[in-house]
C-alpha cells in the first residue's frame, strides 16, 4: 500500500469536513446535479464538449467522495430524496377552508 502524499491527506480532510455538514452535502448534491453525471451528452450547437466536461467534473467529485467515505454518496442521495418528498408534501398541502 502506498503512503498518501500531504496533498492527498489534506484533500481527504477537506472532503471529510464537507461531508460532515448537512448543508454542505446539500450544496454538493446540487453541484453534482448540475454536472449531469447520469445524462448522456447531447449535441446542441456544438456544446457536447461542455456537457462532457461537466460530467467529468461530477465523476471526479463522486470518486473523491467515495474514496473518503464509501457511504456518503448514498447518504446524500437519501437526503436529496427526503428533501424532494418534503417539498412535494408541502406544495400539495391545501389550506383549510373556514
Amino acid at each position: 500500500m502506498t503512503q498518501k502524499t500531504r496533498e492527498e491527506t489534506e484533500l481527504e480532510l477537506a472532503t471529510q469536513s464537507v461531508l460532515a455538514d448537512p448543508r454542505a452535502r446539500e450544496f454538493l448534491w446540487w453541484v453534482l446535479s448540475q454536472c449531469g453525471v447520469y445524462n448522456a451528452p447531447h449535441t446542441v450547437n456544438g456544446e457536447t464538449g461542455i456537457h462532457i466536461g461537466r460530467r467529468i467534473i461530477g465523476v471526479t467529485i463522486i470518486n473523491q467522495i467515495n474514496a473518503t467515505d464509501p457511504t456518503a454518496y448514498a447518504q446524500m442521495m437519501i437526503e436529496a430524496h427526503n428533501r424532494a418528498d418534503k417539498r412535494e408534501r408541502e406544495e400539495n398541502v391545501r389550506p383549510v377552508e373556514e
Side-chain angles (χ1 to χ4, degrees):
M1 182 179 271
T2 61
Q3 186 174 351
K4 292 181 181 178
T5 66
R6 180 177 178 183
E7 182 179 356
E8 290 169 331
T9 301
E10 292 297 323
L11 179 60
E12 185 173 326
L13 290 172
T15 306
Q16 288 171 350
S17 178
V18 169
L19 294 174
D21 183 339
R23 297 300 303 244
R25 288 192 307 271
E26 183 177 356
F27 173 74
L28 188 54
W29 188 260
W30 175 81
V31 169
L32 290 171
S33 71
Q34 301 306 301
C35 292
V37 173
Y38 300 110
N39 298 338
H42 56 281
T43 304
V44 178
N45 299 327
E47 293 181 356
T48 302
I50 293 170
H51 296 287
I52 291 171
R54 286 180 184 155
R55 184 182 179 285
I56 290 169
I57 290 168
V59 169
T60 302
I61 292 170
I62 291 170
N63 287 340
Q64 178 61 30
I65 291 169
N66 288 334
T68 302
D69 180 353
T71 64
Y73 186 76
Q75 177 184 2
M76 291 168 55
M77 188 182 306
I78 291 167
E79 290 169 349
H81 176 76
N82 290 342
R83 282 190 304 273
D85 276 355
K86 181 180 178 186
R87 273 193 302 273
E88 186 176 330
R89 283 192 309 273
E90 289 171 353
E91 290 172 0
N92 291 326
V93 172
R94 292 193 174 97
V96 177
E97 294 183 23
E98 295 180 27

